[in-house]
mmCIF file with all atom_site columns, all heavy atoms in Angstrom:
data_model
loop_
_atom_site.group_PDB
_atom_site.id
_atom_site.type_symbol
_atom_site.label_atom_id
_atom_site.label_alt_id
_atom_site.label_comp_id
_atom_site.label_asym_id
_atom_site.label_entity_id
_atom_site.label_seq_id
_atom_site.pdbx_PDB_ins_code
_atom_site.Cartn_x
_atom_site.Cartn_y
_atom_site.Cartn_z
_atom_site.occupancy
_atom_site.B_iso_or_equiv
_atom_site.pdbx_formal_charge
_atom_site.auth_seq_id
_atom_site.auth_comp_id
_atom_site.auth_asym_id
_atom_site.auth_atom_id
_atom_site.pdbx_PDB_model_num
ATOM 1  N N   . PRO X 1 14 ? 22.266 24.340 -25.724 1.00 52.00 ? 41 PRO X N   1
ATOM 2  C CA  . PRO X 1 14 ? 21.510 25.386 -25.032 1.00 52.00 ? 41 PRO X CA  1
ATOM 3  C C   . PRO X 1 14 ? 21.160 24.971 -23.615 1.00 52.00 ? 41 PRO X C   1
ATOM 4  O O   . PRO X 1 14 ? 20.788 23.835 -23.365 1.00 52.00 ? 41 PRO X O   1
ATOM 5  C CB  . PRO X 1 14 ? 20.254 25.560 -25.886 1.00 52.00 ? 41 PRO X CB  1
ATOM 6  C CG  . PRO X 1 14 ? 20.093 24.254 -26.576 1.00 52.00 ? 41 PRO X CG  1
ATOM 7  C CD  . PRO X 1 14 ? 21.488 23.714 -26.773 1.00 52.00 ? 41 PRO X CD  1
ATOM 8  N N   . ASP X 1 15 ? 21.303 25.898 -22.696 1.00 56.00 ? 42 ASP X N   1
ATOM 9  C CA  . ASP X 1 15 ? 20.891 25.671 -21.316 1.00 56.00 ? 42 ASP X CA  1
ATOM 10 C C   . ASP X 1 15 ? 19.586 26.427 -21.140 1.00 56.00 ? 42 ASP X C   1
ATOM 11 O O   . ASP X 1 15 ? 19.545 27.527 -20.609 1.00 56.00 ? 42 ASP X O   1
ATOM 12 C CB  . ASP X 1 15 ? 21.959 26.162 -20.352 1.00 56.00 ? 42 ASP X CB  1
ATOM 13 C CG  . ASP X 1 15 ? 21.634 25.794 -18.916 1.00 56.00 ? 42 ASP X CG  1
ATOM 14 O OD1 . ASP X 1 15 ? 20.766 24.933 -18.718 1.00 56.00 ? 42 ASP X OD1 1
ATOM 15 O OD2 . ASP X 1 15 ? 22.237 26.380 -18.009 1.00 56.00 ? 42 ASP X OD2 1
ATOM 16 N N   . LEU X 1 16 ? 18.507 25.823 -21.650 1.00 55.00 ? 43 LEU X N   1
ATOM 17 C CA  . LEU X 1 16 ? 17.223 26.502 -21.687 1.00 55.00 ? 43 LEU X CA  1
ATOM 18 C C   . LEU X 1 16 ? 16.532 26.528 -20.331 1.00 55.00 ? 43 LEU X C   1
ATOM 19 O O   . LEU X 1 16 ? 15.706 27.387 -20.079 1.00 55.00 ? 43 LEU X O   1
ATOM 20 C CB  . LEU X 1 16 ? 16.309 25.808 -22.702 1.00 55.00 ? 43 LEU X CB  1
ATOM 21 C CG  . LEU X 1 16 ? 16.803 25.821 -24.138 1.00 55.00 ? 43 LEU X CG  1
ATOM 22 C CD1 . LEU X 1 16 ? 15.851 25.034 -25.024 1.00 55.00 ? 43 LEU X CD1 1
ATOM 23 C CD2 . LEU X 1 16 ? 16.941 27.239 -24.641 1.00 55.00 ? 43 LEU X CD2 1
ATOM 24 N N   . MET X 1 17 ? 16.870 25.574 -19.498 1.00 59.00 ? 44 MET X N   1
ATOM 25 C CA  . MET X 1 17 ? 16.133 25.465 -18.254 1.00 59.00 ? 44 MET X CA  1
ATOM 26 C C   . MET X 1 17 ? 16.937 26.020 -17.098 1.00 59.00 ? 44 MET X C   1
ATOM 27 O O   . MET X 1 17 ? 18.000 25.520 -16.759 1.00 59.00 ? 44 MET X O   1
ATOM 28 C CB  . MET X 1 17 ? 15.763 24.003 -17.991 1.00 59.00 ? 44 MET X CB  1
ATOM 29 C CG  . MET X 1 17 ? 14.808 23.492 -19.028 1.00 59.00 ? 44 MET X CG  1
ATOM 30 S SD  . MET X 1 17 ? 14.263 21.787 -18.886 1.00 59.00 ? 44 MET X SD  1
ATOM 31 C CE  . MET X 1 17 ? 14.640 21.270 -17.300 1.00 59.00 ? 44 MET X CE  1
ATOM 32 N N   . ALA X 1 18 ? 16.418 27.056 -16.483 1.00 71.00 ? 45 ALA X N   1
ATOM 33 C CA  . ALA X 1 18 ? 17.059 27.633 -15.308 1.00 71.00 ? 45 ALA X CA  1
ATOM 34 C C   . ALA X 1 18 ? 16.763 26.739 -14.109 1.00 71.00 ? 45 ALA X C   1
ATOM 35 O O   . ALA X 1 18 ? 15.970 25.799 -14.186 1.00 71.00 ? 45 ALA X O   1
ATOM 36 C CB  . ALA X 1 18 ? 16.536 29.046 -15.081 1.00 71.00 ? 45 ALA X CB  1
ATOM 37 N N   . GLY X 1 19 ? 17.372 27.040 -12.969 1.00 76.00 ? 46 GLY X N   1
ATOM 38 C CA  . GLY X 1 19 ? 17.205 26.228 -11.772 1.00 76.00 ? 46 GLY X CA  1
ATOM 39 C C   . GLY X 1 19 ? 15.758 26.076 -11.346 1.00 76.00 ? 46 GLY X C   1
ATOM 40 O O   . GLY X 1 19 ? 15.310 24.986 -11.015 1.00 76.00 ? 46 GLY X O   1
ATOM 41 N N   . ALA X 1 20 ? 14.999 27.173 -11.334 1.00 79.00 ? 47 ALA X N   1
ATOM 42 C CA  . ALA X 1 20 ? 13.602 27.109 -10.904 1.00 79.00 ? 47 ALA X CA  1
ATOM 43 C C   . ALA X 1 20 ? 12.777 26.251 -11.855 1.00 79.00 ? 47 ALA X C   1
ATOM 44 O O   . ALA X 1 20 ? 11.924 25.481 -11.420 1.00 79.00 ? 47 ALA X O   1
ATOM 45 C CB  . ALA X 1 20 ? 13.013 28.512 -10.818 1.00 79.00 ? 47 ALA X CB  1
ATOM 46 N N   . ALA X 1 21 ? 13.050 26.383 -13.153 1.00 81.00 ? 48 ALA X N   1
ATOM 47 C CA  . ALA X 1 21 ? 12.312 25.583 -14.131 1.00 81.00 ? 48 ALA X CA  1
ATOM 48 C C   . ALA X 1 21 ? 12.618 24.103 -13.950 1.00 81.00 ? 48 ALA X C   1
ATOM 49 O O   . ALA X 1 21 ? 11.730 23.255 -14.073 1.00 81.00 ? 48 ALA X O   1
ATOM 50 C CB  . ALA X 1 21 ? 12.651 26.033 -15.549 1.00 81.00 ? 48 ALA X CB  1
ATOM 51 N N   . ARG X 1 22 ? 13.876 23.789 -13.639 1.00 83.00 ? 49 ARG X N   1
ATOM 52 C CA  . ARG X 1 22 ? 14.245 22.390 -13.408 1.00 83.00 ? 49 ARG X CA  1
ATOM 53 C C   . ARG X 1 22 ? 13.533 21.849 -12.177 1.00 83.00 ? 49 ARG X C   1
ATOM 54 O O   . ARG X 1 22 ? 13.057 20.719 -12.176 1.00 83.00 ? 49 ARG X O   1
ATOM 55 C CB  . ARG X 1 22 ? 15.756 22.263 -13.228 1.00 83.00 ? 49 ARG X CB  1
ATOM 56 C CG  . ARG X 1 22 ? 16.523 22.352 -14.504 1.00 83.00 ? 49 ARG X CG  1
ATOM 57 C CD  . ARG X 1 22 ? 17.980 21.991 -14.306 1.00 83.00 ? 49 ARG X CD  1
ATOM 58 N NE  . ARG X 1 22 ? 18.698 22.217 -15.537 1.00 83.00 ? 49 ARG X NE  1
ATOM 59 C CZ  . ARG X 1 22 ? 19.825 22.873 -15.638 1.00 83.00 ? 49 ARG X CZ  1
ATOM 60 N NH1 . ARG X 1 22 ? 20.401 23.360 -14.560 1.00 83.00 ? 49 ARG X NH1 1
ATOM 61 N NH2 . ARG X 1 22 ? 20.402 23.043 -16.800 1.00 83.00 ? 49 ARG X NH2 1
ATOM 62 N N   . ARG X 1 23 ? 13.481 22.659 -11.122 1.00 86.00 ? 50 ARG X N   1
ATOM 63 C CA  . ARG X 1 23 ? 12.796 22.215 -9.905  1.00 86.00 ? 50 ARG X CA  1
ATOM 64 C C   . ARG X 1 23 ? 11.311 22.012 -10.169 1.00 86.00 ? 50 ARG X C   1
ATOM 65 O O   . ARG X 1 23 ? 10.713 21.046 -9.684  1.00 86.00 ? 50 ARG X O   1
ATOM 66 C CB  . ARG X 1 23 ? 13.019 23.218 -8.782  1.00 86.00 ? 50 ARG X CB  1
ATOM 67 C CG  . ARG X 1 23 ? 14.407 23.111 -8.153  1.00 86.00 ? 50 ARG X CG  1
ATOM 68 C CD  . ARG X 1 23 ? 14.523 23.966 -6.906  1.00 86.00 ? 50 ARG X CD  1
ATOM 69 N NE  . ARG X 1 23 ? 14.352 25.376 -7.157  1.00 86.00 ? 50 ARG X NE  1
ATOM 70 C CZ  . ARG X 1 23 ? 15.306 26.210 -7.571  1.00 86.00 ? 50 ARG X CZ  1
ATOM 71 N NH1 . ARG X 1 23 ? 16.521 25.748 -7.794  1.00 86.00 ? 50 ARG X NH1 1
ATOM 72 N NH2 . ARG X 1 23 ? 15.064 27.489 -7.762  1.00 86.00 ? 50 ARG X NH2 1
ATOM 73 N N   . ASP X 1 24 ? 10.702 22.923 -10.937 1.00 86.00 ? 51 ASP X N   1
ATOM 74 C CA  . ASP X 1 24 ? 9.286  22.775 -11.279 1.00 86.00 ? 51 ASP X CA  1
ATOM 75 C C   . ASP X 1 24 ? 9.051  21.498 -12.072 1.00 86.00 ? 51 ASP X C   1
ATOM 76 O O   . ASP X 1 24 ? 8.090  20.768 -11.823 1.00 86.00 ? 51 ASP X O   1
ATOM 77 C CB  . ASP X 1 24 ? 8.786  23.980 -12.079 1.00 86.00 ? 51 ASP X CB  1
ATOM 78 C CG  . ASP X 1 24 ? 8.686  25.241 -11.240 1.00 86.00 ? 51 ASP X CG  1
ATOM 79 O OD1 . ASP X 1 24 ? 8.736  25.133 -9.997  1.00 86.00 ? 51 ASP X OD1 1
ATOM 80 O OD2 . ASP X 1 24 ? 8.557  26.326 -11.838 1.00 86.00 ? 51 ASP X OD2 1
#
Side-chain angles (χ1 to χ4, degrees):
D42 187 15
L43 298 177
M44 295 180 16
R49 284 190 185 131
R50 283 189 298 276
D51 290 346

